[in-house]
Amino acid sequence: MLFLRVLRRRQTCNQLSQQLDINMRSRLRRAFYWLMTLTGLHTIAMVAFEGLGWGDALWLTLTTMTTVGYGDFSAATPLGRTATVVLLYVAGITLLAQLASDYIDYRLKRKESMIKGRWRWKMQDHVLIINSPNNNAAVYFERLVAQLRTTEQLGDVPVQILTDAFPDGLPESLREMGVVHHHGEPADPQALEAVTPAQARAIIILARDEYSRVSDSITLDVLMQLQGSCGDAQPYTVAECVHEGNRRRTELAGASTTLRPIRAYPEMLVRSLVAPGAEKILENLFTHHDDHAMRYPVQLENAVWADVTCRLMAAGMGTLMAYVAEDGDIICHPAHDHRFSAKALILMVREEFVPSTEDIERCIRQDEAKT
């Protein structure tokens, strides 16, 4: 009940803010139309009463209304002067001052709305990030956006965040990176509509709490709403999934791929966008499920990378990923003709078959003996 009351209060505040914005724009339009009407009436009066041409009459009207007053033209007849006093001195100048004041207020209100996340940006071809981590959200977003900016395919793509984590606005560091946000609950239909998900290039749905199944419920709710608003045109969507058993449900709900929340490595999310499927390989490196990396203390002298890799793969031992040099440096995936000496090998092995060090030694030595 408390959550519903907070949500209703936020929706009411957003509605009031939107209504205020609409009212300010209406006032500006009305003031502008009245100003144009007064300008037209005074111009007609100067043509009728002062005998000026249309160009000179309009020039006199504008210089008088803006209080510039060049003095090259002026009203001389009683009717012309009366029209100038009534239409410009009394009404026009006052209305122009009010219009300028209202416009400044509108610009300040607009800037405040943008900073505090109440502005509807109507973005297209952007990366949309929905939700935010419970802890250190600003630091996480800085790392995630920095990784996006250093990626060739996404370096220039606008980034928008839908979150309720920054009620006073995004940190300056994120705004300097060109990030904007909309303040709202991730599962709020109005908030989702405001961030134009159907026009996004890609969508990332983060888990609020990386240890709670409740986060998966929110993610599923968001995905179902995205399906309803985007349909078959839903952009590529990456969703974090806390509980392993919810992965299939998350994908059925519309996620293109799922990831476990790994806050220390936002790079995995970026790889899932630019190289779909690569995130599964990276994720396996952090777990002991499916394929995983193993280190084997195997000594090699003057070996060729391609030869050793092919021997191990042909024997079903796994995929050679790196080796440990004699000085302890880890050399990852060198060129195919790279010659090396190693004191250990790092392989990606299958869960159903994890070879022993003796298996690896036997495989390499047997093939060396044959050659």
Side-chain angles (χ1 to χ4, degrees), residues 10 131-134 137-138 141 161-170 181-184 208:
R10 286 176 177 170
N131 217 343
S132 56
N134 266 340
F141 282 133
I161 304 172
L162 171 58
T163 176
D164 59 354
F166 305 103
D168 296 324
L170 290 176
H181 89 297
H182 185 80
H183 184 76
R208 172 67 62 88

Side-chain angles (χ1 to χ4, degrees), residues 324-356:
V324 183
E326 294 177 340
D327 58 1
D329 287 346
I330 309 296
I331 310 299
C332 299
H333 198 249
H336 68 284
D337 57 352
H338 175 72
R339 286 192 171 272
F340 66 100
S341 297
K343 63 179 182 180
L345 302 177
I346 299 176
L347 279 74
M348 184 73 76
V349 301
R350 293 176 290 117
E351 182 180 17
E352 59 270 22
F353 174 63
V354 179
S356 64

Side-chain angles (χ1 to χ4, degrees), residues 109 117 149 151 161 261 277 300 352:
K109 177 67 170 59
R149 293 289 179 252
T151 304
I161 304 172
L300 289 177
E352 59 270 22

Side-chain angles (χ1 to χ4, degrees), residues 129-148:
I129 304 173
I130 300 176
N131 217 343
S132 56
N134 266 340
N135 301 313
N136 300 318
V139 175
Y140 177 80
F141 282 133
E142 286 175 13
R143 294 186 59 185
L144 176 56
V145 175
Q147 187 66 27
L148 289 169

Side-chain angles (χ1 to χ4, degrees), residues 21 24-25 28 102-110:
D21 184 60
M24 293 183 69
R25 282 183 289 179
L28 284 171
D102 287 348
Y103 180 71
I104 292 173
D105 288 343
Y106 173 73
R107 293 285 297 183
L108 292 174
K109 177 67 170 59
R110 182 173 179 266

